[in-house]
Amino acid sequence: MIRIENVSMKFDLGIEKNFSLKELLISIFSKKKRNKKSDFWALKDISFNVDKGEVVGLIGSNGAGKSTLLKVVSGVMKPTKGKVIVNGVISPMIELGAGFDMELTARENIYLNGAILGYSKKFLEKKFEEIVEFSELRDFLDVPVKNFSSGMTAKLAFSIATVVDPEILIVDEILSVGDIKFQEKSKKKMESMIGGGTTVLYVSHSLDAIKEICTKVIWLEHGKIVMMGDAKKVCDAYYKVQMK
Amino acid sequence: MIKSIFINFKKYWFLLTQLISRDFKVKYKRSILGVVWSLLYPILMMSVMAIVFSQMFRFKVEGINYLVYLMTGLIMFNYFSEATTTAMTSVISNFTLINKVYIPKYIFPIAKCMFVGINFVLTLIPWIGIILLSYVGLGEYTCHINWYYLLLPYIFFCMFLFTVGIGLLLSCISVFFRDMLHIYGIVITLWNYLTPVFYSIEILPKKLQALFELNPLYQFLSSARSIVLYGKCPSALTLLIIGAIGIVTLAIGALVFKKNQDKFVYYV
Ligand SMILES: Nc1ncnc2c1ncn2[C@@H]1O[C@H](COP(=O)(O)OP(=O)(O)O)[C@@H](O)[C@H]1O
Ligand SMILES: [Mg+2]
């Protein structure tokens, strides 16, 4: 379903966003080539397979490269080296509500965000009620999202993102959304999505949740795979190192 | 290749309409007159320009209706200028999105060119109004309504292709080179003066005229004007050339964009 072969991802920290005419002139006149030391490998030679129906957990400390790996798999980024082969439609939940326009109302954002996530018009019209119902925001449908609390925005985003029956689900630390009641509900929703034979790639800091739902776990550190295999074994090893 | 373009187009059409309608909603939210501004703006612009150029500076073009001459130039040039300027920033301003969800990135500049294009089509309503008014005494000369008007959509479409091509190019360059935003501001101002929007190319020396004719925008403008103001059909060669300008520019823009789009995420 997903085949990752020797994938490496390089960020060149030297080329910065504020590259401008001034810097161009400086670099021409100083004749100094950009030092190669600013290369930063966020992923180094990663290989693994995910079979159909497998639920794979990704763990590792902050900056390990988990989100980068998810982005490479979902096609947001092209790997610098290596190959990514994906068979099936991906539902990426890397950052919810990334496509929201704060000026627009919740109703308008459901359509906009849905379109960004690749839903068709027909699908959205059919599922509109379901999204509204799940988000518990019926009374705020015509309120601009900029007036929402962050919890409300997250609830709306979660409801739009999870209305699909995905073939491949990619989840990046998003479960702690909204109030306690909604958290329970969203956890159930995730479980039912995962349970339905979906192929899942799942990042979480909650080892309990990982142990509960994952069939296989990959432990990532500094862009490399430290350990891969049985969920409990990898989690326990990771826990030991973290607690040292 | 053609087939895959078509499939992609179908797949992302809904997203495209959503992005365009988002722009509409944001632009006209909480404005009382709303879309009416799109109609009023060119009339007001034209009135001001008409007063400045025909009354104060005594500009005119012999034998034709100067108001319509001016307005044709204005709405066409403004379309190009506004569409390319907003297309240029469209990729940069959607960076957070591009970095999180897979969306074909070319959709942003195209959506901008289409959004401004819809506004352009709206401005054609007051434009046609002025053309009709020239028959009842607005300005010295009347226009020429004729069958060649059916060629106008073709001319506008060629200009649209040209605009999308430039928009793709600019949006791509400005990712790597932020100064482009400022540089283009100057370029478009110069371009405005070098395009016969409010003057006629005939006031220039012969040698300069030949040079000015190389300006693609001049070709679009003069084709439309020759139909509306002179009742003359542009030559087959001219029509072919403006088609080629549109297609070639679009192809170059698309190619450059396609070649570089995978590198965008590094510059986020
Ligand atoms: N667009 C980028 N440009 C430069 N560095 C980046 C970019 N995205 C991520 N990184 C770097 O890559 C490393 C891995 O990040 P990430 O995948 O987000 O880690 P995490 O495992 O916490 O999700 C971090 O050191 C981060 O600074
Ligand atoms: Mg992360």
Side-chain angles (χ1 to χ4, degrees):
Chain A
M1 207 74 180
I2 305 175
R3 281 227 324 264
I4 305 293
E5 287 172 11
N6 310 96
V7 161
S8 298
M9 186 74 201
K10 179 178 80 177
F11 290 116
D12 189 343
L13 299 177
I15 42 171
E16 256 321 310
K17 324 150 209 298
N18 43 11
F19 179 71
S20 66
L21 195 62
K22 194 176 103 196
E23 283 158 58
L24 182 72
L25 290 176
I26 291 172
S27 72
I28 288 171
F29 289 118
S30 69
K31 282 185 187 165
K32 212 166 61 190
K33 285 278 168 283
R34 259 199 339 261
N35 57 339
K36 282 283 170 214
K37 276 180 192 139
S38 56
D39 285 358
F40 171 75
W41 293 88
L43 296 175
K44 296 169 201 153
D45 202 21
I46 305 276
S47 300
F48 64 89
N49 287 332
V50 182
D51 295 328
K52 191 166 162 45
E54 248 186 325
V55 179
V56 175
L58 269 177
I59 54 175
S61 36
N62 287 324
K66 305 179 296 291
S67 298
T68 307
L69 183 56
L70 295 189
K71 283 176 186 175
V72 168
V73 172
S74 62
V76 173
M77 292 177 175
K78 279 255 162 67
T80 315
K81 284 188 202 157
K83 245 205 237 153
V84 177
I85 301 160
V86 176
N87 292 313
V89 180
I90 297 183
S91 291
M93 299 188 194
I94 291 179
E95 187 151 330
L96 295 178
F100 278 173
D101 190 308
M102 292 297 151
E103 294 292 324
L104 300 187
T105 64
R107 181 194 304 277
E108 291 162 344
N109 266 309
I110 289 178
Y111 281 94
L112 178 63
N113 196 238
I116 285 167
L117 294 175
Y119 304 168
S120 72
K121 187 173 179 198
K122 225 165 77 197
F123 178 81
L124 268 171
E125 275 162 0
K126 205 173 76 193
K127 294 284 187 174
F128 187 82
E129 267 309 304
E130 195 181 322
I131 295 171
V132 176
E133 189 59 44
F134 195 86
S135 69
E136 304 167 354
L137 294 168
R138 188 176 298 282
D139 296 338
F140 301 92
L141 264 184
D142 295 304
V143 176
V145 170
K146 66 178 170 193
N147 297 338
F148 277 20
S149 71
S150 60
M152 286 160 83
T153 317
K155 273 161 128 179
L156 183 64
F158 184 90
S159 309
I160 301 170
T162 53
V163 76
V164 278
D165 281 320
E167 283 181 83
I168 302 171
L169 185 63
I170 289 185
V171 188
D172 196 354
E173 312 172 65
I174 52 161
L175 271 189
S176 46
V177 157
D179 42 45
I180 295 180
K181 182 171 149 239
F182 195 79
Q183 274 184 32
E184 274 306 307
K185 204 167 109 178
S186 59
K187 201 168 150 217
K188 282 225 181 69
K189 175 84 189 178
M190 290 301 308
E191 277 164 5
S192 82
M193 284 176 95
I194 290 167
T198 316
T199 309
V200 185
L201 207 52
Y202 181 76
V203 171
S204 176
H205 282 297
S206 155
L207 293 183
D208 290 336
I210 295 250
K211 275 191 263 188
E212 201 177 308
I213 58 171
C214 294
T215 48
K216 182 163 115 186
V217 171
I218 298 171
W219 172 13
L220 220 58
E221 217 61 75
H222 301 299
K224 281 197 197 126
I225 295 180
V226 178
M227 199 174 167
M228 171 162 61
D230 174 66
K232 191 164 179 324
K233 243 165 63 196
V234 179
C235 286
D236 289 347
Y238 174 70
Y239 186 75
K240 245 189 232 154
V241 172
Q242 289 286 304
M243 283 301 126
K244 241 197 279 184
Chain B
M1 168 92 171
I2 299 283
K3 204 176 147 202
S4 83
I5 289 176
F6 191 73
I7 290 171
N8 259 324
F9 200 70
K10 223 175 114 185
K11 189 165 153 202
Y12 292 110
W13 179 252
F14 177 54
L15 176 57
L16 197 59
T17 58
Q18 281 299 311
L19 289 174
I20 295 169
S21 90
R22 183 255 304 255
D23 282 344
F24 261 100
K25 286 170 191 154
V26 172
K27 183 166 180 182
Y28 295 120
K29 208 144 241 197
R30 266 178 283 132
S31 93
I32 298 163
L33 288 179
V35 182
V36 177
W37 277 118
S38 288
L39 304 178
L40 279 181
Y41 182 76
I43 297 186
L44 295 175
M45 259 319 265
M46 189 213 58
S47 309
V48 173
M49 300 279 276
I51 291 168
V52 172
F53 290 114
S54 73
Q55 302 303 313
M56 285 162 64
F57 292 140
R58 301 270 163 216
F59 263 79
K60 56 179 169 191
V61 182
E62 237 10 89
I64 55 165
N65 189 306
Y66 182 69
L67 273 183
V68 175
Y69 182 89
L70 182 64
M71 192 170 179
T72 309
L74 269 182
I75 61 173
M76 287 179 78
F77 189 87
N78 280 357
Y79 167 69
F80 174 77
S81 149
E82 198 185 328
T84 49
T85 307
T86 52
M88 174 168 62
T89 53
S90 65
V91 170
I92 297 176
S93 57
N94 281 294
F95 254 164
T96 40
L97 190 53
I98 289 170
N99 201 15
K100 273 152 200 159
V101 193
Y102 175 75
I103 308 179
K105 301 164 189 64
Y106 60 79
I107 205 157
F108 296 110
I110 291 180
K112 284 295 179 201
C113 290
M114 289 178 73
F115 167 64
V116 183
I118 294 171
N119 267 310
F120 169 75
V121 171
L122 287 176
T123 61
L124 292 179
I125 298 170
W127 179 67
I128 289 172
I130 302 286
I131 290 175
L132 290 175
L133 283 179
S134 79
Y135 279 92
V136 295
L138 185 73
E140 257 180 276
Y141 302 93
T142 61
C143 294
H144 294 269
I145 294 182
N146 54 65
W147 285 107
Y148 301 137
Y149 273 55
L150 297 178
L151 277 172
L152 288 173
Y154 169 75
I155 296 167
F156 294 152
F157 185 67
C158 293
M159 186 172 77
F160 171 73
L161 296 183
F162 176 71
T163 307
V164 174
I166 299 283
L168 285 169
L169 213 57
L170 287 171
S171 64
C172 179
I173 293 171
S174 60
V175 170
F176 304 108
F177 186 58
R178 294 297 158 95
D179 286 44
M180 199 60 209
L181 305 182
H182 305 286
I183 293 171
Y184 191 63
I186 302 167
V187 169
I188 200 75
T189 310
L190 270 176
W191 203 338
N192 194 358
Y193 287 114
L194 296 178
T195 305
V197 172
F198 50 81
Y199 58 89
S200 159
I201 198 167
E202 267 136 45
I203 62 172
L204 299 169
K206 268 272 173 300
K207 266 202 191 127
L208 263 184
Q209 279 187 29
L211 203 64
F212 271 52
E213 281 172 12
L214 295 178
N215 175 2
L217 285 177
Y218 171 74
Q219 294 299 332
F220 299 125
L221 256 64
S222 72
S223 304
R225 279 167 172 165
S226 90
I227 291 175
V228 175
L229 292 157
Y230 297 92
K232 274 198 298 216
C233 182
S235 71
L237 183 66
T238 309
L239 290 175
L240 216 65
I241 286 174
I242 60 171
I245 292 172
I247 291 167
V248 170
T249 313
L250 178 63
I252 293 173
L255 226 70
V256 170
F257 196 92
K258 190 170 181 241
K259 261 200 114 145
N260 291 293
Q261 60 179 354
D262 291 337
K263 285 185 254 160
F264 288 179
V265 284
Y266 299 125
Y267 291 81
V268 170

